Amino acid sequence: MTQSAQFYIEQLQLDRHPEGGYYKSSFRANEEMATRDVLRPIYTSIYFLLRSQDISHLHRLQSDELWYYHVGSPLTVHMIHPDGTYEAKKLGINIAAGEVPQILVPKHTIFGSSVDDADTFSLVGCMVAPGFDFADFELFTQRELIADYPQHEAVIRKMAYAELK
């Protein structure tokens, strides 16, 4: 039986994430590598929990991010690729329904996530390589993204902050 979102937030000691949802760093490589003229861990990993009433707002990283499904409802990862194409992938374990248990978000892709089922949540893992650093994290407003990607206005209005907090 799946526990509640609050159970996982408390038991895993998750904190609020600036993009939305809850997270906690779970692993950080001891080894580092030079990338973009700075040292980063080879990889980092977090737990990430998103409730159906939350949005993981559109943002971009300078590294690849691999998402792993753990428990709860499927999660939709919304991506605007560097060439301007939009893609939505479902992270979950119902393969017959088109869900996949792992999703790669390539570096430089603008992305966010949502849980489409009402009154539920999704707990996933996210591994970033080279490792995550908030210096490599960009959060966007609707105005910024609509100016660059007007063809995706509907999803941008749903998935981006009206203005940054």
Side-chain angles (χ1 to χ4, degrees):
M1 178 175 151
T2 301
Q3 300 289 334
S4 69
Q6 194 60 39
F7 171 83
Y8 290 104
I9 291 167
E10 290 172 5
Q11 294 300 308
L12 296 173
Q13 300 176 352
L14 305 179
D15 295 317
R16 290 197 177 271
H17 197 291
E19 79 195 38
Y22 297 83
Y23 81 109
K24 181 176 184 170
S25 178
S26 53
F27 296 100
R28 183 177 191 87
N30 291 325
E31 295 177 65
E32 293 183 326
M33 62 185 291
T35 182
R36 297 176 301 279
D37 298 322
V38 295
L39 286 177
R40 295 280 185 260
I42 292 172
Y43 70 88
T44 56
S45 186
I46 64 168
Y47 291 117
F48 183 69
L49 184 140
L50 195 64
R51 302 173 304 174
S52 52
Q53 65 265 37
D54 300 323
I55 294 289
S56 166
H57 293 85
L58 293 171
H59 60 287
R60 177 170 50 202
L61 301 180
Q62 300 302 310
S63 298
D64 290 343
E65 184 168 40
L66 192 55
W67 290 56
Y68 301 90
Y69 174 83
H70 290 314
V71 70
S73 292
L75 178 135
T76 302
V77 179
H78 304 267
M79 295 178 272
I80 301 174
H81 293 279
D83 69 359
T85 59
Y86 169 78
E87 180 180 23
K89 288 188 173 181
K90 285 269 194 187
L91 186 64
I93 55 171
N94 188 348
I95 307 300
E99 297 171 10
V100 293
Q102 297 179 15
I103 292 175
L104 174 67
V105 177
K107 64 183 175 182
H108 309 300
T109 298
I110 296 167
F111 69 104
S113 59
S114 61
V115 176
D116 300 328
D117 295 344
D119 299 320
T120 188
F121 71 95
S122 184
L123 175 64
V124 302
C126 301
M127 186 189 78
V128 177
F132 177 83
D133 189 291
F134 271 105
D136 299 334
F137 175 82
E138 297 174 84
L139 197 54
F140 297 98
T141 64
Q142 293 173 3
R143 184 177 45 80
E144 291 171 313
L145 292 175
I146 291 170
D148 290 337
Y149 307 101
Q151 70 274 32
H152 305 308
E153 182 174 355
V155 74
I156 289 168
R157 290 206 182 277
K158 175 185 174 188
M159 299 299 303
Y161 283 115
E163 48 186 72
L164 294 178
K165 298 179 178 188

